[in-house]
Amino acid sequence: MHFDPADLEQKSIYKLLSGIVIPRPIGWISSISEDGITNLAPFSFFNAVGDDPPHVMFSAGRNPNSNQDTVRNILATNQFVVNMVTHELVEKMNMTAQGIPSNESEFDFANLTPQASLKIKPPRVKESPIAMECELVHHYTLENSKFGGSTILIGRIVLFHVDEQMLLDDFKINQDNYKPIARLAGSNYAKIGEIFSVKRN
């Protein structure tokens, strides 16, 4: 079978794409408004895009006429933190995906601890073992959208926070201790399962 996205409803396109491109890491993005209200939301259209210098990206869906709080905050302040989600944090991460009023904070709603960042204003999630302070370098809203589109944001990592228990020698991450989760489709998530190595020739 084949499908032309131009002939599909947005929900159908999302189901195909989010079910095909799996597993996806989750960027738990913390930001702060110009009024000082903290925001925290998970995004599974997220990944690293380079290491020289280190950058990450995520994209957020838009309503037809407005951005999400996360995007509005970042475009106003040019700063955000990527907090990584481990298995122990899944339920709290899921709580922060709920829509709450813009004048309330998901940190309070999910009973999470905002911890001051060192180089930027938005706080990081204290409970997350790995976080990356980022400065926005580029954003782009996808053109020709039928349903509001998505905005891609790229941030340069200006500081890594890594719990000592997550580190091995020579800056390697301890996969046994880290235990990140990944998004699949719908309400399904995954843990890291069997790990195997393939050496390059």
Side-chain angles (χ1 to χ4, degrees):
M1 300 181 71
H2 56 268
F3 304 98
D4 185 337
D7 299 329
L8 298 177
E9 294 183 356
Q10 191 273 337
K11 184 183 293 186
S12 300
I13 297 170
Y14 177 79
K15 287 179 180 178
L16 285 170
L17 186 61
S18 63
I20 291 168
V21 183
I22 59 172
R24 300 187 306 279
I26 299 170
W28 207 9
I29 309 297
S30 51
S31 62
I32 192 168
S33 73
E34 292 181 297
D35 296 328
I37 299 169
T38 56
N39 179 272
L40 181 63
F43 297 88
S44 67
F45 287 176
F46 158 77
N47 221 311
V49 292
D51 64 344
D52 183 25
H55 284 71
V56 291
M57 64 75 59
F58 75 97
S59 70
R62 299 180 74 250
N63 295 321
N65 298 311
S66 65
N67 288 315
Q68 296 185 29
D69 290 341
T70 298
V71 175
R72 279 200 299 272
N73 291 348
I74 295 172
L75 295 183
T77 66
N78 294 316
Q79 297 178 336
F80 63 95
V81 180
V82 178
N83 306 274
M84 301 308 295
V85 181
T86 57
H87 186 251
E88 296 79 8
L89 294 170
V90 169
E91 293 301 328
K92 290 187 178 293
M93 176 276 297
N94 192 43
M95 290 181 68
T96 64
Q98 298 184 41
I100 65 173
S102 297
N103 62 351
E104 297 179 13
S105 173
E106 287 81 3
F107 280 92
D108 296 332
F109 182 73
N111 195 27
L112 289 160
T113 311
Q115 187 162 34
S117 295
L118 300 182
K119 289 194 171 186
I120 61 176
K121 287 186 177 181
R124 56 192 174 99
V125 176
K126 183 178 181 180
E127 290 81 0
S128 176
I130 297 177
M132 295 167 281
E133 299 183 20
C134 300
E135 293 182 347
L136 180 69
V137 296
H138 185 65
H139 73 280
Y140 174 74
T141 298
L142 301 180
E143 297 179 347
N144 301 318
S145 69
K146 295 190 292 182
F147 311 104
S150 296
T151 298
I152 300 166
L153 299 102
I154 299 175
R156 179 172 180 168
I157 300 169
V158 296
L159 196 66
F160 291 94
H161 296 270
V162 183
D163 188 287
E164 290 182 2
Q165 295 183 355
M166 302 298 126
L167 279 174
L168 297 172
D169 293 339
D170 195 28
F171 296 96
K172 293 179 181 178
I173 299 297
N174 187 325
Q175 300 296 328
D176 291 330
N177 290 348
Y178 181 20
K179 298 179 182 177
I181 60 139
R183 181 76 185 274
L184 300 178
S187 59
N188 295 320
Y189 293 81
K191 305 177 191 177
I192 290 179
E194 179 184 356
I195 296 176
F196 63 93
S197 299
V198 178
K199 293 185 178 180
R200 295 184 180 180
N201 295 328

